[in-house]
Amino acid sequence: MSIMQYNGAAMIAMAGKNCVGIAADRRLGIQYQTVAMDFQKVFQMTPTLYVGLAGLATDVQTLKNLLEFRISLYELREERTMSPQVFLHLLSALLYEKRFGPYFCEPIVAGLTPEGKPVLGGMDLIGATVITDDFVVSGNCTENLHGMCETLYKPDMEPDALFETISQALLASVDRDALTGWGGVVHIITTEGVTTKELKGRMD
């Protein structure tokens, strides 16, 4: 089993009409043994920017702390909030400088620009970035997640429709994978604010 699959993760970021959603499962495992079912994998970086870190749990927490530190430095120096595009470049550079001994994390980024335009991006563990305008997935069961997103996604969804779509895609995908699941959490980011809801999933 790859070190990327050791703790288990499944996450989706999806764009709507002037809104964006990011969802992840809650399971923390050691291969097929479940350790916890409340592990946080999605983190708020700014009021309209979230990052999801899929991979080795120790590196998830290390990278989260490092990103919070770098964002605080940026805001002190620049006296403004970091935009999603700048954050993507920061994260990519951070991962690439450790390329010979990388963080075992494949992040996804979901945010809104000040004009309300969705920004979605995904990376591999050395920071090679893909930017999309519909959805991006990361974690163990990426084939399942891609298939469900391609089936259910529609352009320009309102926040409620986006929540329903991203939730159904996540739950249907993790039900077919033994290393992920045990509930989920969904954040819907709009220009008015962020709505966070927890999903109840199968506990077996």
Side-chain angles (χ1 to χ4, degrees):
M1 182 181 288
S2 159
I3 194 71
M4 300 296 294
Q5 271 94 52
Y6 186 75
N7 295 121
M11 51 188 65
I12 308 170
M14 193 178 280
K17 186 178 182 183
N18 300 325
C19 61
V20 68
I22 185 165
D25 71 324
R26 302 302 298 271
R27 181 183 181 272
L28 171 68
I30 296 172
Q31 295 182 348
Y32 291 104
Q33 176 187 356
T34 299
V35 176
M37 47 189 183
D38 58 356
F39 186 66
Q40 191 180 357
K41 301 168 190 176
V42 177
F43 306 98
Q44 186 174 26
M45 294 287 116
T46 73
T48 57
L49 176 65
Y50 278 71
V51 63
L53 302 171
L56 192 65
T58 49
D59 283 353
V60 165
Q61 292 173 331
T62 303
L63 203 51
K64 176 248 184 186
N65 290 335
L66 188 56
L67 286 168
E68 285 178 346
F69 168 68
R70 295 289 285 267
I71 282 179
S72 297
L73 275 183
Y74 177 92
E75 287 175 355
L76 270 172
R77 190 169 52 235
E78 300 281 332
E79 297 182 2
R80 61 196 168 108
T81 305
M82 187 179 283
S83 71
Q85 293 93 332
V86 173
F87 180 77
L88 278 165
H89 289 297
L90 165 73
L91 181 51
S92 179
L94 204 63
L95 293 169
Y96 189 69
E97 73 184 28
K98 292 272 193 252
R99 63 192 176 280
F100 298 117
Y103 294 113
F104 294 113
C105 273
E106 293 186 339
I108 59 173
V109 176
L112 287 180
T113 64
E115 300 78 42
K117 184 175 179 286
V119 175
L120 296 179
M123 284 167 214
D124 69 359
L125 73 172
I126 59 163
T129 310
V130 59
I131 294 170
T132 66
D133 54 8
D134 46 12
F135 57 83
V136 63
V137 302
S138 185
N140 286 30
C141 50
T142 49
E143 296 92 345
N144 301 358
L145 293 162
H146 261 294
M148 286 307 302
C149 288
E150 284 176 351
T151 304
L152 299 175
Y153 175 79
K154 295 184 186 72
D156 295 330
M157 286 183 285
E158 296 296 330
D160 289 344
L162 179 64
F163 167 74
E164 194 63 35
T165 302
I166 204 168
S167 303
Q168 293 296 339
L170 182 75
L171 290 174
S173 301
V174 299
D175 277 355
R176 290 160 180 80
D177 181 58
L179 293 171
T180 56
W182 292 65
V185 61
V186 182
H187 306 280
I188 302 295
I189 308 153
T190 65
T191 47
E192 281 82 50
V194 179
T195 307
T196 299
K197 294 180 184 175
E198 291 195 3
L199 305 175
K200 192 173 178 182
R202 283 177 56 151
M203 295 292 188
D204 60 355

